[in-house]
Amino acid sequence: NAGVMQNPRHLVRRRGQEARLRCSPMKGHSHVYWYRQLPEEGLKFMVYLQKENIIDESGMPKERFSAEFPKEGPSILRIQQVVRGDSAAYFCASSPPGLRNTGELFFGEGSRLTVL
Amino acid sequence: GEGVGLHLPTLSVQEGDNSIINCAYSNSASDYFIWYKQESGKGPQFIIDIRSNMDKRQGQRVTVLLNKTVKHLSLQIAATQPGDSAVYFCAESQGGSEKLVFGKGTKLTVNP
């Protein structure tokens, strides 16, 4: 939890609304990962991004979910037309040159989405 | 299950005892493993990692053991303290991939 900033920490949406989750990586980190955690579950990989590029989105649902990491500003995870099943904690993590080189990810505190 | 799993969902120990948390993985191509600690309401925190060319790695009060023959990983915590109470996850990386596959977690409770 060393410096990865996520906001909002808690977000409540009604079904059909949009949710936007933001992640600012640690200073100097150019790699961002998004994971989703359901209650009493482990984290599930969603997407891996570098600045302006999506490297691996194999964990992203095919519809309604998108992610970006622009040249300037935070990474955004966007969920359109939310459904109750989207309720979860969404964690962002960052690393400098890449997981295998650094040996660890730095996770944020998470954004907890509740869909009513 | 998918990738990584754990033998026990909960573990309760007395303060000062040693704790052992186990993890099984199913993918022979996995060559990098990490243990994370997650306290309630927080993000996962890196504890220790190990690559498949090693059998054992030690940190401060923690040791990770890797048995590739039976695809088993364990985390040993020496002299467990109340502050160690958390959910512990093992995670694996599968051969060249940047993504981690997490197990479901073991909840460790340390009794004073």
Side-chain angles (χ1 to χ4, degrees), chain B:
Chain B
E2 178 191 38
V4 187
L6 295 170
H7 294 308
L8 294 172
T10 62
L11 177 64
S12 184
V13 300
Q14 292 298 123
E15 182 178 358
D17 286 352
N18 296 332
S19 302
I20 299 176
I21 300 172
N22 296 305
C23 180
Y25 64 96
S26 58
N27 190 338
S28 299
S30 295
D31 58 359
Y32 180 56
F33 306 87
I34 307 178
W35 280 101
Y36 285 93
K37 172 186 179 183
Q38 187 177 28
E39 296 175 323
S40 180
K42 296 189 175 182
Q45 180 182 4
F46 173 90
I47 300 174
I48 193 168
D49 61 355
I50 188 168
R51 299 192 185 275
S52 59
N53 61 352
M54 302 173 68
D55 297 322
K56 178 179 179 179
R57 192 162 188 226
Q58 289 184 294
Q60 187 177 9
R61 282 203 306 118
V62 294
T63 301
V64 55
L65 299 178
L66 176 63
N67 185 331
K68 295 180 287 293
T69 302
V70 295
K71 300 191 188 74
H72 184 267
L73 192 70
S74 68
L75 176 70
Q76 300 178 4
I77 305 173
T80 315
Q81 302 168 1
D84 295 327
S85 293
V87 178
Y88 289 81
F89 294 95
C90 63
E92 64 177 313
S93 178
Q94 301 181 1
S97 172
E98 291 286 346
K99 72 180 185 184
L100 292 175
V101 177
F102 282 77
K104 283 196 170 186
T106 293
K107 183 176 182 180
L108 175 66
T109 301
V110 181
N111 302 309

Side-chain angles (χ1 to χ4, degrees), chain A residues 7 13 16 25 32 37 56 58 65 75-76 90-91 108-109 116:
Chain A
N7 70 84
R13 285 287 179 266
V32 165
Q37 185 177 35
D56 182 350
S58 58
F65 284 71
S75 176
I76 306 288
Y90 292 83
F91 288 96
E109 299 279 81
L116 301 178

Side-chain angles (χ1 to χ4, degrees), chain A residues 12-76:
Chain A
V12 179
R13 285 287 179 266
R14 297 189 180 279
R15 283 180 295 170
Q17 293 184 320
E18 178 179 288
R20 284 191 178 224
L21 310 178
R22 297 174 187 78
C23 170
S24 296
M26 281 186 64
K27 187 176 181 180
H29 286 192
S30 58
H31 297 223
V32 165
Y33 310 77
W34 284 94
Y35 284 79
R36 175 165 62 177
Q37 185 177 35
L38 297 173
E40 305 297 316
E41 296 278 335
L43 283 75
K44 302 291 187 187
F45 170 83
M46 298 182 75
V47 62
Y48 163 43
L49 311 102
Q50 296 177 17
K51 283 284 188 180
E52 299 185 280
N53 286 304
I54 297 174
I55 307 303
D56 182 350
E57 57 180 348
S58 58
M60 289 282 271
K62 293 291 186 280
E63 297 178 346
R64 302 188 298 108
F65 284 71
S66 63
E68 63 177 7
F69 189 18
K71 185 177 181 180
E72 301 292 337
S75 176
I76 306 288

